[in-house]
Amino acid sequence: MKLQKQTFIVIAGSMFLFLLLLTTFIRPMLLSDALSMDEESMVRDLDRVHNTIQMEKELLTRLNQDWAQWDDMYEFATGEQSGFIASNIDENTFMNNRIWRMMIVSDEDDILLDRSYGLREEAALLTEQLYQLTPSLNNYFIGANDSFFTVSVQRILPTSGIGPDAGKVILARNISENYIKRLGYDLSLDMTASVSTGEIPSRSRSIRSVSEQRMEGQMVFRSSNGDSYLTLTVDKPRSYYLTKRDVITNFVGYLLALLSIIAIVLYIMLNRIMISRVTGLSRQLNQIRQSKDFTSRVEWQLHNNDEIHNLGHSINGVLASAEYAHEEMAQMATRDQLTGLLNRYGVIEAFQALTEQTEVNIAFMFFDLDGFKRINDSLGHKMGDMLLRKVADRLSEFVDHDKEIIARMGGDEFLMLLYNHDEEQLKQRAEYMVGKLKQTYELNDMKTFITSSVGIANYSADGQTFDEVLQAADIAMYEAKRKGKNQIVYYHSLAEDLEYKNTLMLENDLKFALKNGELYLDYQPVYTASKDRMIGVEALIRWDHPIKGRIPPNVFIPIAENGSFISDIGEWVLEESIRQAVAWRENGLGQIGVAVNVSKMQMRNKNRFLEKLDALLEQYQFPPEQLQIEITESDIFFFDGEIIEFAKELRNKHVRVALDDFGVGTSTLFNLKNMPVNVVKIDRSFVQHVPSEEFDTKLLKGLYQLLDGIGMHVITEGVETAEQAEFIRKNSSSNIQGFYFSKPLKPEQVALLLAQEAAYSQVAADSSK
């Protein structure tokens, strides 16, 4: 944004701020009395409404007294005049007197008449409540559904008022929408009414402004039994406020016009004295930036030797410094700050220069220091940096001529590029370098040594681009570490074993799969045996490789477990599963359980897992009893002590622990005795031949009896046929998981099933009423 524009905005903004502050403090004071007058007007209107309703109640009481103290009514209530109803009470009686309901009850509590018009549900609902009301000079307020009624109950007496009563007459008048409209019309007010249940507001009246133009007053009438209340709302314009607001608005408009003239004059003066000169300097600097000619200098107009004049001198001084710094930065952009070697960007440029030569057989020697993290952690980063510099110096000694390049790729990784004339000679040089790197290093007063693992790949035999050859060298280096470190591995030797190479490539790709969003979760529902309810889902991880497509879990899970990134993937699975369950819950689909598998590495590093679990349960407010952590039985044989402690920690947090693949591991019954688990998941191998094979059928039936006897919750996996499901229903209370009920689904498919299940339950509930 140009300086002229900024200056104009500052001046205009200052004027606007002045107006804002002026109106902020003055406007409320000027409008305060108008607000009070509007509120007083509303109070008067509410009093009018209240008095009118009271008068209506009194009129209803008088009407009821006229009916109740009438000899004809008295004789009808005592059974002497059977034609009273036909002669005196018909639809016109109700309409003319605006009566919604009339009940006549004898002194023996027999209902002699119960008639109402409209509101059938309320009529059925209120019969007992009206019947139990006792005669009173005061009216009752009764609420039902979305309606409210005022009720008068009077004793039946002779016209003279002398003698025993013969029962009671109940008259009810509906405070309907039409009634409220009529009342508002009579009082020249805009009125609405609503009936509510629950806690009754403490204040019977309230007044508030709903907008700048209108205000709202409310009166609350509680029902006689206190279980509901009627809210009458009066909406009217803020007349006093709007009138005074218009006066103030006109005043602010005149003031704004005056301030605008002042702002324009001020801007012209500032532009002449300062802004145009600074703009000229800025324009020249912008031209220098676009031309990237740091040898250029700015010129300016002399004006009393002021600060802008000094600024021009300072700019030229900065340009001189920038010219020098630019030369240094050109070097720093391609050089590693710590070692002075080429960095990743520098080595790419050098590689491109090498490939322009006629000879393009270039060897990539990728060095990774073994045990550097141990030295860095134990001796500190300062000593680690010193060691890296000494390693860089030693690597630099291996360069024979200017066409061989050493670069630091980051951390403790180094890369050497050299022409590969002869494989045997390359091998000898690599062995010589590894041996030299292994020799002692002096770090101040300490001596240490470090080894290196080296991977070697060739351009263009092992790749057509820099990144492809570097990745091949990285794979070879990683294999050197797997072989015991301090090794040299050639990528072409790995290429002969295609399966092994594919595994290494997958392992390398899996390092970045989570970051690149290639991993996702499917969810397989777990149902009750009768399939009347989904009780939970099991989260199943999937990998959609961008090139190879879908990679089966039994392929990439072992790779992840052998690497150092299984814990990161496992924590992602845990968080994504909890997040998805919470999303279903917040979408009104109910709270269902979610089961998550854990790896051996996560159980061995239980402190990290449990800290992450606590954080997620708190973050998502997820009930721990709805989370099920599944431990594969075969893992217990190798890590039984650690897993038992891990399971105990989970149980203490009220998280469910399941023993997965039950029956395919070792010492199964012994595991049940010692493992603190809630759930046993019977492996599909027990169900596969049921009920066709007698042995398998008896074995599964015995398992159910055993697990039920020790009070273990059971889930049967791998159920694929109706016969299997029927057998499980008859012989156990086990829940079921398998393709017979559902395959693993996407989150939105699970949401659809939950919505359908909720709809069926509602239909069943409605039909049972």
Side-chain angles (χ1 to χ4, degrees):
M1 184 182 297
K2 292 185 177 181
L3 186 58
Q4 289 96 331
K5 188 174 182 180
Q6 294 184 46
T7 304
F8 181 78
I9 291 175
V10 169
I11 294 174
S14 300
M15 299 302 179
F16 174 76
L17 182 61
F18 170 74
L19 283 176
L20 182 63
L21 294 175
L22 188 64
T23 55
T24 299
F25 288 102
I26 295 178
R27 190 170 185 267
M29 292 187 293
L30 295 176
L31 293 176
S32 60
D33 59 336
L35 293 173
S36 300
M37 294 174 69
D38 282 328
E39 290 178 356
E40 291 174 2
S41 175
M42 178 61 79
V43 169
R44 291 193 297 270
D45 289 335
L46 292 178
D47 288 339
R48 291 167 56 207
V49 173
H50 182 269
N51 294 337
T52 302
I53 292 177
Q54 288 297 115
M55 184 174 66
E56 291 279 346
K57 291 170 60 179
E58 293 174 0
L59 291 175
L60 181 64
T61 300
R62 292 173 188 172
L63 176 64
N64 198 7
Q65 288 175 344
D66 291 342
W67 280 95
Q69 295 185 15
W70 184 17
D71 288 339
D72 289 354
M73 174 68 77
Y74 188 85
E75 292 173 359
F76 169 72
T78 56
E80 299 177 7
Q81 191 176 138
S82 60
F84 174 78
I85 299 299
S87 302
N88 296 281
I89 299 176
D90 56 18
E91 184 175 353
N92 291 327
T93 305
F94 282 77
M95 298 297 293
N96 294 335
N97 294 281
R98 292 193 297 107
I99 300 173
W100 166 71
R101 188 170 186 175
M102 173 183 283
M103 295 180 67
I104 302 176
V105 182
S106 70
D107 58 349
E108 296 178 352
D109 291 334
D110 293 328
I111 297 177
L112 305 178
L113 173 69
D114 183 1
R115 186 174 297 176
S116 64
Y117 289 90
L119 302 177
R120 296 180 179 178
E121 293 184 1
E122 285 79 358
L125 181 65
L126 291 177
T127 298
E128 184 64 26
Q129 190 171 353
L130 294 176
Y131 176 76
Q132 294 179 355
L133 296 177
T134 59
S136 173
L137 293 177
N138 297 320
N139 283 17
Y140 296 91
F141 269 130
I142 303 296
N145 291 343
D146 294 329
S147 303
F148 218 74
F149 307 90
T150 178
V151 182
S152 173
V153 183
Q154 299 295 324
R155 293 186 302 152
I156 299 175
L157 296 170
T159 305
S160 62
I162 301 173
D165 65 82
K168 57 186 178 181
V169 177
I170 302 171
L171 294 183
R173 179 171 291 167
N174 178 23
I175 303 179
S176 63
E177 182 179 357
N178 290 332
Y179 171 81
I180 297 300
K181 287 183 179 179
R182 182 185 63 79
L183 181 61
Y185 178 80
D186 293 341
L187 299 177
S188 299
L189 296 174
D190 186 3
M191 295 178 55
T192 58
S194 63
V195 178
S196 306
T197 59
E199 184 178 355
I200 299 175
S202 58
R203 298 173 58 186
S204 61
R205 289 190 181 187
S206 63
I207 299 174
R208 68 186 184 95
S209 298
V210 295
S211 67
E212 192 175 19
Q213 287 76 31
R214 306 196 68 81
M215 67 188 309
E216 181 181 273
Q218 290 187 337
M219 284 195 304
V220 176
F221 297 89
R222 62 181 294 172
S223 64
S224 299
N225 59 5
D227 63 350
S228 61
Y229 58 93
L230 171 70
T231 303
L232 291 182
T233 303
V234 177
D235 184 86
K236 61 181 296 183
R238 300 168 63 182
S239 304
Y240 296 104
Y241 170 84
L242 294 174
T243 301
K244 187 159 287 188
R245 184 201 63 180
D246 293 340
V247 173
I248 296 173
T249 301
N250 293 333
F251 168 76
V252 173
Y254 296 137
L255 184 59
L256 178 61
L258 177 62
L259 290 176
S260 299
I261 296 173
I262 296 174
I264 293 172
V265 174
L266 182 60
Y267 171 77
I268 293 173
M269 295 176 61
L270 287 175
N271 184 62
R272 181 177 179 83
I273 296 172
M274 179 179 63
I275 299 172
S276 60
R277 298 167 63 204
V278 174
T279 302
L281 292 176
S282 174
R283 183 173 58 254
Q284 293 180 69
L285 282 173
N286 189 47
Q287 292 172 352
I288 294 173
R289 179 184 63 82
Q290 292 178 351
S291 64
K292 299 181 181 179
D293 182 9
F294 293 99
T295 61
S296 300
R297 299 295 182 264
V298 298
E299 298 178 357
W300 63 94
Q301 294 179 351
L302 184 62
H303 197 285
N304 298 328
N305 200 27
D306 57 8
E307 285 81 358
I308 297 179
H309 173 81
N310 296 332
L311 176 62
H313 278 298
S314 299
I315 289 174
N316 283 338
V318 171
L319 287 172
S321 300
E323 182 180 359
Y324 174 75
H326 177 69
E327 297 175 356
E328 288 189 336
M329 290 175 62
Q331 293 290 326
M332 293 173 60
T334 57
R335 290 284 173 178
D336 177 56
Q337 297 282 319
L338 179 65
T339 63
L341 299 177
L342 290 175
N343 58 19
R344 184 180 185 89
Y345 302 104
V347 75
I348 291 176
E349 290 182 2
F351 169 77
Q352 291 173 347
L354 289 178
T355 55
E356 293 174 358
Q357 307 296 325
T358 55
E359 193 173 15
V360 293
N361 190 16
I362 302 171
F364 282 52
M365 299 182 64
F366 196 82
F367 296 83
D368 184 271
L369 304 184
D370 302 325
F372 174 75
K373 185 177 184 302
R374 172 181 53 82
I375 295 175
N376 209 31
D377 293 342
S378 60
L379 301 181
H381 291 284
K382 185 175 180 180
M383 299 294 278
D385 290 346
M386 184 183 297
L387 177 59
L388 289 174
R389 284 193 292 268
K390 289 185 176 293
V391 170
D393 292 340
R394 193 165 294 182
L395 283 171
S396 299
E397 296 173 359
F398 302 148
V399 177
D400 280 349
H401 49 78
D402 58 359
K403 291 185 178 180
E404 294 186 349
I405 300 166
I406 289 289
R408 182 187 177 208
M409 303 301 290
D412 59 341
E413 297 177 341
F414 296 86
L415 177 66
M416 183 173 184
L417 303 183
L418 65 160
Y419 286 121
N420 182 15
H421 298 284
D422 181 82
E423 289 290 338
E424 186 60 31
Q425 183 182 3
L426 179 65
K427 179 180 179 182
Q428 292 176 1
R429 287 195 66 184
E431 292 174 350
Y432 171 77
M433 294 178 192
V434 170
K436 283 291 185 180
L437 288 175
K438 188 178 178 181
Q439 294 180 7
T440 303
Y441 295 87
E442 293 187 5
L443 306 178
N444 292 340
D445 57 346
M446 298 183 62
K447 291 184 178 181
T448 186
F449 76 96
I450 195 167
T451 62
S452 61
S453 298
V454 182
I456 300 178
N458 287 294
Y459 174 82
S460 56
D462 297 325
Q464 299 300 314
T465 65
F466 177 87
D467 288 336
E468 289 178 357
V469 184
L470 182 63
Q471 184 182 27
D474 185 30
I475 292 173
M477 179 276 294
Y478 189 72
E479 176 58 16
K481 282 189 172 295
R482 292 166 61 97
K483 286 186 173 182
K485 304 179 182 180
N486 196 34
Q487 302 276 338
I488 302 172
V489 173
Y490 295 84
Y491 181 76
H492 65 76
S493 65
L494 299 177
E496 298 173 359
D497 187 349
L498 183 59
E499 181 178 354
Y500 183 74
K501 179 183 176 181
N502 288 337
T503 300
L504 290 177
M505 293 290 287
L506 282 178
E507 183 171 4
N508 188 70
D509 293 344
L510 190 55
K511 293 179 184 178
F512 308 101
L514 184 59
K515 180 180 179 181
N516 295 336
E518 299 168 12
L519 300 179
Y520 65 93
L521 296 181
D522 283 343
Y523 300 88
Q524 186 171 30
V526 179
Y527 284 94
T528 58
S530 57
K531 202 186 178 182
D532 60 349
R533 185 167 59 92
M534 185 193 303
I535 63 168
V537 293
E538 180 180 358
L540 302 171
I541 189 169
R542 300 290 187 260
W543 182 13
D544 190 5
H545 193 282
I547 298 176
K548 298 180 175 63
R550 182 77 64 84
I551 308 297
N554 62 337
V555 173
F556 71 85
I557 292 296
I559 295 175
E561 288 179 338
N562 291 330
S564 59
F565 39 86
I566 185 63
S567 293
D568 293 334
I569 293 176
E571 290 174 0
W572 174 82
V573 171
L574 179 65
E575 179 169 5
E576 179 64 15
S577 302
I578 293 176
R579 185 203 63 77
Q580 184 59 66
V582 171
W584 288 326
R585 180 185 68 195
E586 292 178 347
N587 288 331
L589 300 176
Q591 179 71 69
I592 65 170
V594 60
V596 177
N597 292 276
V598 295
S599 67
K600 299 185 289 291
M601 186 65 69
Q602 289 176 280
M603 290 185 283
R604 295 187 69 181
N605 192 9
K606 67 181 181 69
N607 291 335
R608 171 179 171 177
F609 180 86
L610 295 174
E611 289 176 3
K612 181 68 173 180
L613 175 62
D614 290 338
L616 293 176
L617 293 177
E618 175 66 24
Q619 175 184 349
Y620 291 98
Q621 292 297 298
F622 190 76
E625 61 273 9
Q626 293 293 332
L627 177 63
Q628 180 171 297
I629 299 299
E630 299 192 353
I631 299 172
T632 303
E633 187 187 23
S634 57
D635 291 338
I636 300 176
F637 181 76
F638 299 99
F639 306 104
D640 56 343
E642 295 169 340
I643 291 180
I644 290 174
E645 289 300 319
F646 176 76
K648 286 181 179 178
E649 293 277 1
L650 292 176
R651 290 291 301 274
N652 291 338
K653 297 178 184 296
H654 305 291
V655 174
R656 295 165 64 90
V657 181
L659 189 60
D660 197 11
D661 295 341
F662 177 75
V664 299
T666 57
S667 304
T668 300
L669 296 179
F670 181 79
N671 292 336
L672 280 181
K673 177 182 178 183
N674 292 276
M675 282 293 293
V677 298
N678 308 82
V679 183
V680 169
K681 300 188 72 174
I682 296 179
D683 186 70
R684 66 185 304 274
S685 59
F686 285 88
V687 187
Q688 199 168 11
H689 302 293
V690 171
S692 58
E693 298 289 340
E694 182 180 1
F695 178 81
D696 290 7
T697 302
K698 290 182 178 179
L699 179 60
L700 181 58
K701 186 175 182 180
L703 275 178
Y704 285 143
Q705 293 174 351
L706 171 64
L707 295 173
D708 183 65
I710 61 177
M712 193 67 65
H713 185 74
V714 180
I715 298 176
T716 305
E717 297 182 290
V719 178
E720 299 180 353
T721 67
E723 292 78 11
Q724 293 170 349
E726 182 64 23
F727 175 83
I728 295 170
R729 291 190 190 101
K730 290 182 178 180
N731 292 277
S732 73
S733 59
S734 170
N735 294 320
I736 297 179
Q737 177 180 352
F739 279 25
Y740 173 67
F741 282 168
S742 176
K743 63 181 182 179
L745 304 173
K746 296 289 184 292
E748 56 271 18
Q749 294 174 311
V750 175
L752 180 60
L753 289 179
L754 290 172
Q756 292 174 347
E757 186 176 294
Y760 293 153
S761 299
Q762 184 62 44
V763 170
D766 294 341
S767 62
S768 63
K769 291 181 180 180

